[in-house]
Amino acid sequence: MKIRVVSSREEIPHLNPNEKVIHLAFRPSNKDIFSLVQTCPKVEVIQIPSSYRRTVSKSIEMFMAMQDIKLVEGDVWGHRKDINEYYSIAPALLDKIKELKSEGMSDENIVNKLEREGKLNREMLFYILSKK
């Protein structure tokens, strides 16, 4: 699974329209979110750093809820955009999720366990679990 990292609003018009998970590494305005949803109509998750999360307006939260887009807090730790525009979630993490699911562990317990071990936050882990 890959997360498309967007470093500036100037990148939004050039994104692939099929992007589903996007990390915004800048403080997005309402216009940026609208533009992103127009450019990438299949987007399911927009991740922003927790320091920017508090600045997202209620109207954008409502718009995203109406579009069935999840807004999650989080970072892509250690990612270098100059090397790759995507942050890849380790296949080992996805295998671990499958293994824990097959053992009958609940989603909540899986998230609690992997949140401590991995670099992903709760909301992103719940999204990944919903896709498996």
Side-chain angles (χ1 to χ4, degrees):
M1 178 178 200
K2 293 182 177 185
I3 300 172
R4 176 61 160 90
V5 179
V6 179
S7 297
S8 70
R9 56 186 43 92
E10 289 78 27
E11 291 179 48
I12 293 173
H14 307 288
L15 293 173
N16 180 336
N18 295 320
E19 299 292 352
K20 292 187 180 202
V21 183
I22 298 174
H23 174 82
L24 298 178
F26 64 95
R27 187 180 310 274
S29 67
N30 290 358
K31 183 180 173 186
D32 296 329
I33 299 290
F34 286 128
S35 176
L36 180 65
V37 172
Q38 269 188 320
T39 303
C40 304
K42 296 180 180 179
V43 69
E44 296 175 357
V45 175
I46 298 175
Q47 181 185 46
I48 58 175
S50 56
S51 59
Y52 299 162
R53 176 66 178 91
R54 293 182 292 272
T55 65
V56 174
S57 71
K58 293 288 183 199
S59 60
I60 281 297
E61 288 178 5
M62 285 181 8
F63 168 74
M64 291 176 65
M66 288 173 17
Q67 301 294 318
D68 200 26
I69 300 170
K70 294 182 185 341
L71 179 65
V72 300
E73 292 181 25
D75 276 306
V76 287
W77 297 107
H79 177 72
R80 294 218 15 220
K81 177 82 187 302
D82 59 331
I83 295 173
N84 192 348
E85 59 192 19
Y86 289 93
Y87 175 81
S88 294
I89 295 175
L93 177 70
L94 301 175
D95 292 342
K96 184 78 169 175
I97 288 172
K98 285 180 189 173
E99 177 186 324
L100 294 172
K101 272 244 192 240
S102 69
E103 293 173 4
M105 190 178 277
S106 71
D107 287 356
E108 184 72 30
N109 289 338
I110 292 171
V111 167
N112 289 338
K113 181 175 178 55
L114 296 179
E115 184 180 33
R116 290 188 302 267
E117 294 175 8
K119 296 179 181 179
L120 296 174
N121 68 359
R122 294 182 68 75
E123 293 173 289
M124 187 58 79
L125 286 168
F126 274 118
Y127 169 74
I128 293 168
L129 279 165
S130 73
K131 292 297 169 186
K132 293 290 165 199

